[in-house]
Amino acid sequence: MATAVHLDGITKRFPGVVANDDVDLAVRRGTVHALLGENGAGKTTLMNVLYGLYEPTDGQVYVGGEPRRFDSPRDAIDAGVGMIHQHFMLVDPMTVTENVTLGNEPRKWLGLTVDEERARREVVDLRDRYGFDVDPDARIEEVGVGVQQRVEILKALYRGAEVLILDEPTAVLTPQEVDDLFAVFEELTAQGKTIIFITHKLGEAMHAADEITVLRDGRNVGTVPADEVTREELAEMMVGREVLRTVEKPPADRGERVLAVDGVSVDDDRGVEAVSDVSFSVRAGEVFGIAGVDGNGQSELIEAVTGLRDPTAGRIVYRGEDVTDWSRRRRIEARMSYVPEDRHERGLVMDFDLTQNGILGSQHSDEFACDGRLDWDAARDHAETIIEEYDVRPPNRRAAAASFSGGNQQKFIVGREFERDPALVVATHPTRGVDIGSTEFIHDRLLALRSSGVAVLLVSSNLEEVRGLSDRLAVVHDGEIMDVVDPESATEEEIGLLMAGEDPSDGSGPVAAGATNEGGR
Amino acid sequence: MSGDDRSGGARRRGRAALERLVRASAAERVFISTAALVLSMAVGVVIVLAAGRMTTCGEAAAVYFGVGFCYDPFAVYDSLFLGALGNPINPLFRPLEGQFAPPFRRGWSPLNGQMAVTLRETTILVFTGLSVAVAFRAGIFNIGTQGQLVVGALATALAALYASPLVAGLVGTLVLIPFGLLVGALSGGLYGAIPGALKAYADANEVITTIMLNFVATGVALYLVAGPFKDPASAANETVSLPGYAIFPPVVFEPRDDFSVLALLFGVALVGGVYYLLEHTAFGYDIRTSGIQPEAAEYGGVDAERTVVSSMAISGALGGLGGAVYVLMIIGNYQTGIPAYGFDGITVSILAGNNPLGVGFAAFLFGVLKSGSIVVDVNTGAPPQLVGVLRGLIILFVAMPEFFRLLGRRVVAIEPERPVATDGGRPGDGGDDAGAEAGGEVDE
């Protein structure tokens, strides 16, 4: 089969950093190729070279057998290479058709106005050809993330892409949407398109790709056919040592009840009830896990617990006091730590450096503020402690938070929240986007907190993570707790059914059909 | 390379330039501003020459390359900048021609009348510039500094007037001036807190409310000084003048200059104070966090509503202080037709990148331009409109890089390459996951 893309000896240096070191990559036409590696392995950099965002320091790019030199993405697009970034570049108030044709609109009346009928027709044709389930007249703000992603793909196809690069395409999707995406991959390759997707999830690479290339420290560790490799082999290639251990934890030494949520209901931003009459409690020295497909009320529930959202009903009792009406600040001062779901919006101030971010939430505490005056020396020391203990790279407390990679941002937030001397840690997706080594480290710290008598409320859509860490596991669906199970004895199937809103014990079918698909935001 | 390649290259260079601008250090920013100033003058020279060619005049003011021009651009800029300082340069001082006469003109003193005008304008603009900057840093666009200044000025004029019979002489000065400043700050602060509260608790856009409250302030002030508090001895709409001891003592300048070094020092102290507040206090941290990322501020326990109200109150108090100084230093009562110091404060703040330390310099530049315009008018034949064009050019050129920095920060933040460029750490950490959230979990 012909080679669609061939990268020959690509080296990309940045000041002080070699992001890609003599990487060869050959992708056959009509296949799905996964680019697998940990955070900072150089996957995105390599694809940015192919997409014309970076000029390689050394090496040659061949597309369709021709040597190419791209000065900008436009050159790459003209050569039939399209890239879909993690953050979608769509205009929310505009329709699907408008977004797909944006910048390349068919024109009429001497190019003075957009030929809307033709644009719509072309988009419909394109959609039908690839069998996408997309309404051309829907506005982007009205459709889910999975559909938005398909719009991005349509956009690339509309511009004539033969090779599609997707950067971490599954990061924002629910398991259901991930399956849909992989079906789209199949459809596209069947029609001769070539797909390269970046991921750090082993399972996805094995499931969806024909071939997998593993990058580590900027080098190509090897390219293997997906059906001839095991997870263990891939994991070892990724990290350079044997991994995939199971979390081992001593039995829980439960203390007093730290958090009690009693009949709480919460509305989401649109005023629709997202959490309905939920009750549970978390004791000192235990990890209480919440599993569920993203968007089933976990975010709203957690925001109610941490003081970012007012519940519409019910009580939240923390260390014996009713804290339902307490401000966020008061809860922080009462030693409630919170690793938020969205690190870019909430967890970090992107323009602040790490020193300033290190005191976010503690800016009024005695430790950093004496009579309202900030002690920047203490803040500096604090930031350096977190950077060192939690292995934040590069170890530069003066750098703006925005300049760190996602995994390192997460490590810094986790460090800040765990170092607060908490009585309760609320952690949502604490290892999202974090590489394997750091994930292990964060899990160890979480369990160390548990051993020292801290109550932990853990929310994760990663079933392995919540099952491995939790002492008790609540499964939520559509704003309700379906059941609280023992993670050791419950099978993955049972939990999966609960997540889908079905009760495995009576098999009476979906409790609330369709709610799972609308999940992620 | 095809034409397309070139346009791609240009786009990339444009983006690189924007990035460079966003990351510029403080020294580089000063250099950029200076370069912009020089560039604006180069453009201005052309405009003045062109205007001079198109005008008819009896005698050419300047002859270049055998062509006569009605206005001499170099004389105009000389008057604009050096005139504002009272023409300090000795005409015989020409180092380029090897003449090293004393650089300063004989008889020139830094305490001259024109310098007083420059510093007088600077002083008021320091207050209004700081007022706008504080609000800006909290993420609020306070267009109402003018109204807050009017309220502060009127309240100060009336309070000091009614308090003045109680004290007199030096004691009067020592009591009335701090009292007047306090009244100005309090009244301006309260007036600023109104749009703050409307924004915080009723979700009313502060741009709209502050603009409307400007009209309210000027309107109510006009009614008061045209009616109940009008000076019966005056034909104009103004209050009774304050006694001399209630006016800022001029210290080293002449009393007729209407300028007091004390007021300027007070302004400079506030520059330091506001800087300290923003950078070194927990409250300033709250303000800055709410200003750039409200969700993160909320997460960090900042009470968003209270921060909006209190930062608007501080902003208003600074505007009110500007009004108080205007009354206690310049006019000595309240009269209708207060100059648009509040609106100039917006430009001063943008020019300073909303940094309190920069506000001092930006206010001085504005002071020079305002005062120099008067000198140009007197000394050269150039019409005031033309001088207005030159002033506008300077402000536009100097403010543009800062404006692009504000814009560029957003653009660069979403550019995928940004993290890599600053990620320089260990080898191999080449900024994968470029600044974007790598959601999803690592297997196992």
Side-chain angles (χ1 to χ4, degrees), chain B residues 58-403:
Chain B
E59 195 186 336
V63 179
Y64 295 110
F65 311 113
V67 183
F69 297 91
C70 281
Y71 317 123
D72 181 353
F74 298 99
V76 169
Y77 276 115
D78 180 64
S79 297
L80 187 60
F81 286 108
L82 298 177
L85 308 178
N87 284 317
I89 306 297
N90 185 349
L92 295 176
F93 176 67
R94 296 193 192 112
L96 293 178
E97 295 164 25
Q99 291 198 34
F100 292 98
F104 292 114
R105 189 168 52 84
R106 182 187 304 219
W108 178 79
S109 141
L111 307 180
N112 60 69
Q114 202 57 45
M115 182 71 107
V117 175
T118 305
L119 294 178
R120 180 212 293 160
E121 298 296 312
T122 304
T123 305
I124 308 292
L125 290 172
V126 162
F127 291 101
T128 57
L130 283 177
S131 162
V132 177
V134 165
F136 248 129
R137 292 298 285 273
I140 307 165
F141 198 11
N142 180 12
I143 312 205
T145 296
Q146 181 70 19
Q148 291 139 20
L149 178 134
V150 165
V151 168
L154 180 62
T156 301
L158 294 177
L161 183 65
Y162 286 101
S164 60
L166 306 175
V167 281
L170 181 63
V171 179
T173 306
L174 288 177
V175 170
L176 283 181
I177 287 184
F179 172 68
L181 291 174
L182 187 70
V183 169
L186 282 178
S187 53
L190 281 174
Y191 203 64
I194 296 173
L198 287 173
K199 181 182 173 66
Y201 301 106
D203 209 15
N205 186 308
E206 77 276 12
V207 175
I208 312 281
T209 52
T210 52
I211 290 177
M212 293 196 299
L213 285 168
N214 281 342
F215 291 111
V216 172
T218 359
V220 170
L222 173 63
Y223 163 76
L224 290 177
V225 295
F229 297 108
K230 188 176 186 313
D231 178 1
S234 166
N237 291 326
E238 58 182 326
T239 60
V240 177
S241 287
L242 295 173
Y245 56 80
I247 301 297
F248 263 107
V251 192
V252 290
F253 282 85
E254 297 290 323
R256 63 183 156 81
D257 290 335
D258 290 337
F259 169 69
S260 167
V261 174
L262 295 177
L264 180 63
L265 288 178
F266 178 52
V268 171
L270 272 183
V271 164
V274 170
Y275 175 79
Y276 186 86
L277 173 84
L278 286 175
E279 302 293 332
H280 290 280
T281 66
F283 177 60
Y285 184 92
D286 287 356
I287 288 186
R288 288 186 297 131
T289 312
S290 329
I292 53 180
Q293 217 174 300
E295 292 85 3
E298 198 189 359
Y299 163 80
V302 177
D303 185 333
E305 284 86 17
R306 257 174 47 191
T307 308
V308 167
V309 177
S310 46
S311 47
M312 271 307 286
I314 293 177
S315 174
L318 288 162
L321 275 175
V325 171
Y326 176 71
V327 166
L328 298 176
M329 182 176 84
I330 302 181
I331 46 173
N333 66 351
Y334 183 88
Q335 315 178 350
T336 50
I338 290 193
Y341 290 114
F343 296 112
D344 287 344
I346 298 171
T347 324
V348 166
S349 181
I350 292 179
L351 211 55
N354 302 322
N355 181 334
L357 298 184
V359 164
F361 296 101
F364 182 66
L365 175 66
F366 251 72
V368 166
L369 293 177
K370 280 196 154 184
S371 146
S373 303
I374 304 168
V375 183
V376 174
D377 209 22
V378 175
N379 285 4
T380 72
Q385 292 86 341
L386 187 59
V387 183
V389 170
L390 299 184
R391 275 171 58 186
L393 272 179
I394 291 170
I395 292 160
L396 196 64
F397 271 64
V398 177
M400 257 324 113
E402 281 304 322
F403 180 71

Side-chain angles (χ1 to χ4, degrees), chain A residues 326-379:
Chain A
W326 282 23
S327 70
R328 168 88 187 116
R329 180 168 158 190
R330 212 167 151 199
R331 294 185 212 210
I332 294 173
E333 282 164 0
R335 295 167 58 212
M336 187 189 279
S337 269
Y338 175 31
V339 178
E341 178 172 21
D342 190 333
R343 56 178 165 249
H344 290 116
E345 290 243 310
R346 292 214 189 267
L348 292 169
V349 183
M350 298 315 266
D351 281 348
F352 281 3
D353 63 16
L354 293 190
T355 304
Q356 302 204 53
N357 269 300
I359 61 168
L360 184 63
S362 315
Q363 70 267 29
H364 293 282
S365 73
D366 292 340
E367 196 182 348
F368 301 114
C370 177
D371 301 329
R373 188 180 157 273
L374 288 174
D375 182 352
W376 284 119
D377 288 333

